[in-house]
Amino acid sequence: MTAELARGQNHPLSHIRLTIRISAGAPVLAGAVLGDENGTVHGAQWVAHPGARALPGIEVSQQSATEHRLAVDLGALPGAVHRVDVFLALLTGAGAPQRFGAVAAPHTAVEGLDGTELVCFTLTGLDSETAVLALELYRRQGAWKVRAMGQGYAAGLTALLADQGLREAGDLAAAVHETAAHSPSRALPAPSTAPAPQGTSEAVPHDASAVAARDTASAPYDTRAPEPPHTPASGTAEPARPSGTRNPYDAQASGAGPRDTGARVDYTHPGRRPHAAPPPVSADADGSPEPPVAGDAVGWSMEERLYNQVWGMFEDLARTTAAYRSAVDFADSRLEKELDQALTDPRGRLGTAGETAREAAHARRTQLVDQARAVLDRDLAQLTAESEVVEPALPPAYAGWDNPVWHGYRMPTEPPMALRLGDLHLPESVPLRIPMLVRLPLERGLWLDSGSVAASDGLPDSAELRHLAMEAAATLAARLLAVHPAGDLSVQVIDPAGAGTAAFAPLTRAGVLAAPPATGAAGVTEALEKLTRRVDLVQMALRGGAPESLPADVDTARQLLIVNDFPHGFDDRAVTRLRYLADEGPDVGVHLLLVADREDAAAYGPLLDPLWRSLMRLTPVPDDHFADPWVGHAWTYDPSLVPAGSQIVDQVLAEVARTLAKYR
């Protein structure tokens, strides 16, 4: 049975040797872009197009046509390839349509070698676009899936390729169109499917003449296997996110891809058979799929694999929720259309015919929504099962304060690659929560908003919000100290009015602060002067190529500056220095953690707007102000809180203090 996909939906692939059929209302170019586990495209040699129609595992047409057949052998793709994006582009010559909205919507279908249609997707809703990503084939946890994309580009093939990260997008797009202009169009190109020699390399070669095919039989796997989008990410979980890249939460953090070393390291879970093609999912007697495994993602260490797996879970939840919401919107629009038709038909205004038509329309809407909800519930169950396995395996930097890993805490010898700032969830996913991980070192400062704008949960007053924000800042500082090696991070506090004395007491009692909290206008000035001087000196040393020439009194450890109750106690000069630290500090190891209510600084007007924009906003209570980079959902952020009555932070800080005493 064919699965008809809506934009954003995905579906498992039960075959590895496929044919992708494309039909369009006008001649189009068809091609494919290959990406690694992070979504990175490693140059023009990773693009199959009319001028380079065959790469290992994929072959496209050499001409423009109204109908295309792309041959794909997922088992013959190089091991480095985890994603195949199929694109279409209108011709640019005279007489060609100027936009997809002027012709019939393109239709795509994925078939097995026996001609069985597995999935189909019609790219409706296109208008001014002249190029479009139609489908995405992606590999996650060894299994391949297909996702309906429908991402259009009004600026054409150049914009599409540039969005894939290709620096030479303009030249490549011009070459593709030039090749197509000198090749006669035909109605139905038929790419060769003859097998090529078996061995394939890890990187896509610059030229290839045929699609490599493996003799391994395609094996079906359980359709309940995890649904993440492409890798982390989660993927969330195959999780490595678009590499290079941005943090899902604020689009600022960089993703890390595998290092370019000689031999590859096999991180395959010992309980899973090695494979080059999607294997059957092992099942118990009752048919249940193989349980999820913590660290089942790409990476050079368990820490990196867990990070990528969390990313994969994050993206998977975003994608499956988008598919559900899209299906509900479709059902609602269809209901509205059917009701309008029933009302405009004179025959339906008399007797019971109209009422019957309306009831039938509502029943169809309910059926569509129920089907979409069933798919969402299946995906949520998979992600919940994965979360239940991943959470206990997280290292301290990624773990919640209720994780048992903290009870055996010892100060690390290496800094972590990321830090947990809290959790994220969507209304449809409660109680499933995804850890919010940001890469270290922090590329932006943090702002804990103590303003009443966050008081959406019925908190009594702003005074309690301020206290919660200060406690959250102290807890976050404790986590940062705990996950860095001794001597790698120094924490300073500016508390002009002493309002945070109680909240910062765990830090002061443990003796882990570099100096007592700075109070009063004089204390503010002195602390900011020292850090500003450090930033200036380190910048000059680095620019001069002589970092070893720093004065002996300059602390080379990373600095975390907690500023409470801003802008109280700050004059104009101090505000200017704080803005300077927020802008220039992260590059030389000075990081800002601001506890403030923006309304308190309203007197400065737009002067402080760049400061607020440069900081990542966190809240001491749940608030839906984060958006993901894939779909743009509004995610609710939950701060990472210490369980009521727990002494775990004091215990961790005591261990930090003991280790620091030995280090000093």
Side-chain angles (χ1 to χ4, degrees):
M1 179 178 178
T2 303
E4 185 173 359
L5 302 182
R7 184 178 280 106
Q9 285 185 315
N10 52 24
H11 192 273
L13 291 173
S14 55
H15 298 68
I16 60 171
R17 299 178 67 183
L18 307 166
T19 298
I20 299 177
R21 286 192 300 103
I22 298 169
S23 59
V28 296
L29 303 173
V33 180
L34 308 183
D36 64 14
E37 68 276 9
N38 298 315
T40 302
V41 181
H42 295 271
Q45 69 271 18
W46 280 46
V47 182
H49 57 84
R53 57 190 297 261
L55 299 177
I58 188 164
E59 186 174 5
V60 303
S61 172
Q62 190 172 2
Q63 296 93 2
S64 61
T66 56
E67 296 188 14
H68 290 267
R69 283 182 181 167
L70 280 63
V72 180
D73 185 349
L74 300 174
L77 290 170
V81 174
H82 286 248
R83 179 185 296 185
V84 179
D85 288 330
V86 177
F87 66 82
L88 309 177
L90 292 173
L91 303 180
T92 57
Q98 299 300 304
R99 58 191 181 91
F100 272 111
V103 298
H107 179 78
T108 61
V110 180
E111 300 176 343
L113 287 185
D114 58 359
T116 302
E117 186 171 281
L118 307 176
V119 300
C120 64
F121 170 49
T122 302
L123 286 76
T124 57
L126 298 177
D127 186 10
S128 60
E129 297 87 348
T130 58
V132 61
L133 281 178
L135 298 173
E136 180 184 70
L137 311 181
Y138 63 93
R139 176 165 53 188
R140 181 177 185 275
Q141 295 181 343
W144 283 90
K145 299 183 182 183
V146 59
R147 179 183 298 113
M149 297 293 286
Q151 175 63 55
Y153 297 83
L157 187 57
T158 298
L160 184 152
L161 295 174
D163 197 41
Q164 296 289 309
L166 284 171
R167 296 182 178 178
E168 62 271 46
D171 294 340
L172 180 58
V176 171
H177 283 295
E178 180 70 15
T179 301
H182 292 84
S183 299
S185 299
R186 64 178 181 179
L188 187 63
S192 166
T193 56
Q198 294 266 337
T200 57
S201 62
E202 286 300 317
V204 178
H206 287 243
D207 57 350
S209 59
V211 177
R214 298 188 186 275
D215 293 331
T216 56
S218 59
Y221 51 90
D222 197 308
T223 58
R224 291 171 293 177
E227 277 293 318
H230 65 264
T231 48
S234 98
T236 202
E238 215 195 15
R241 259 70 251 20
S243 110
T245 107
R246 306 177 315 174
N247 183 333
Y249 320 110
D250 63 355
Q252 293 291 327
S254 308
R259 298 168 290 181
D260 185 11
T261 61
R264 291 179 59 84
V265 180
D266 183 9
Y267 286 112
T268 305
H269 187 269
R272 299 187 178 186
R273 297 183 300 241
H275 52 269
V281 174
S282 60
D284 299 329
D286 61 356
S288 59
E290 181 180 350
V293 177
D296 190 8
V298 295
W300 294 93
S301 65
M302 176 57 80
E303 180 187 24
E304 185 177 358
R305 299 201 300 274
L306 286 169
Y307 171 82
N308 287 336
Q309 188 167 11
V310 170
W311 262 95
M313 294 164 61
F314 180 47
E315 183 178 347
D316 289 347
L317 183 53
R319 301 284 192 186
T320 190
T321 304
Y324 169 71
R325 292 180 179 179
S326 177
V328 172
D329 289 343
F330 171 77
D332 289 339
S333 63
R334 176 173 173 174
L335 172 63
E336 183 178 358
K337 181 178 179 180
E338 291 180 348
L339 292 178
D340 287 344
Q341 290 175 345
L343 290 174
T344 56
D345 187 352
R347 293 170 298 177
R349 298 174 185 172
L350 301 174
T352 61
E355 184 63 27
T356 301
R358 287 190 290 273
E359 291 178 354
H362 281 284
R364 283 190 289 271
R365 190 265 180 194
T366 301
Q367 181 183 17
L368 288 173
V369 173
D370 288 346
Q371 289 175 347
R373 184 71 215 193
V375 174
L376 176 65
D377 289 342
R378 179 200 66 188
D379 293 345
L380 290 179
Q382 295 165 359
L383 287 170
T384 299
E386 189 171 10
S387 176
E388 291 173 350
V389 171
V390 169
E391 278 285 357
L394 295 177
Y398 302 176
W401 287 109
D402 57 349
N403 193 309
V405 70
W406 288 108
H407 294 284
Y409 166 77
R410 291 294 182 271
M411 210 162 186
T413 57
E414 296 289 337
M417 66 179 294
L419 183 80
R420 185 174 189 157
L421 294 181
D423 298 320
L424 296 171
H425 71 271
L426 294 169
E428 295 89 346
S429 70
V430 176
L432 175 63
R433 282 166 168 74
I434 305 298
M436 178 178 170
L437 304 181
V438 296
R439 293 296 299 270
L440 292 179
L442 294 171
E443 296 182 359
R444 306 170 63 187
L446 304 175
W447 164 34
L448 268 161
D449 189 355
S450 60
S452 58
V453 65
S456 57
D457 288 337
L459 292 175
D461 53 36
S462 60
E464 183 169 349
L465 278 173
R466 291 177 186 272
H467 179 71
L468 291 174
M470 289 184 286
E471 285 189 337
T475 303
L476 183 54
R479 179 185 288 270
L480 280 164
L481 276 169
V483 301
H484 280 83
D488 271 21
L489 180 70
S490 179
V491 178
Q492 302 183 47
V493 176
I494 291 179
D495 188 16
T501 301
F504 299 131
L507 299 173
T508 54
R509 280 199 310 265
V512 294
L513 296 179
T519 58
V524 171
T525 300
E526 182 181 0
L528 292 177
E529 280 182 351
K530 288 182 178 179
L531 286 177
T532 301
R533 174 176 176 267
R534 180 195 183 279
V535 171
D536 290 339
L537 290 174
V538 173
Q539 284 182 337
M540 288 188 290
L542 293 177
R543 289 168 185 165
E548 70 283 351
S549 64
L550 287 169
D553 63 337
V554 174
D555 186 358
T556 57
R558 291 192 173 274
Q559 305 290 314
L560 175 67
L561 175 63
I562 304 175
V563 178
N564 185 43
D565 230 7
F566 176 81
H568 298 298
F570 280 70
D571 56 21
D572 291 345
R573 187 181 182 88
V575 169
T576 300
R577 283 177 172 159
L578 188 68
R579 288 184 53 190
Y580 175 75
L581 292 177
D583 293 337
E584 303 294 334
D587 289 339
V588 290
V590 176
H591 308 283
L592 186 62
L593 175 53
L594 192 67
V595 182
D597 179 357
R598 188 168 183 174
E599 291 300 318
D600 292 342
Y604 287 92
L607 177 66
L608 290 182
D609 286 351
L611 173 65
W612 305 117
R613 287 195 298 266
S614 70
L615 304 175
M616 181 191 295
R617 177 175 173 258
L618 306 176
T619 54
V621 294
D623 189 67
D624 59 348
H625 63 282
F626 280 110
D628 64 78
W630 306 288
V631 185
H633 293 314
W635 291 74
T636 297
Y637 166 77
D638 288 311
S640 183
L641 302 177
V642 180
S646 173
Q647 301 297 316
I648 192 63
V649 172
D650 289 331
Q651 296 172 19
V652 169
L653 289 177
E655 177 61 26
V656 170
R658 282 193 293 270
T659 307
L660 289 177
K662 297 176 183 177
Y663 173 80
R664 292 167 182 165

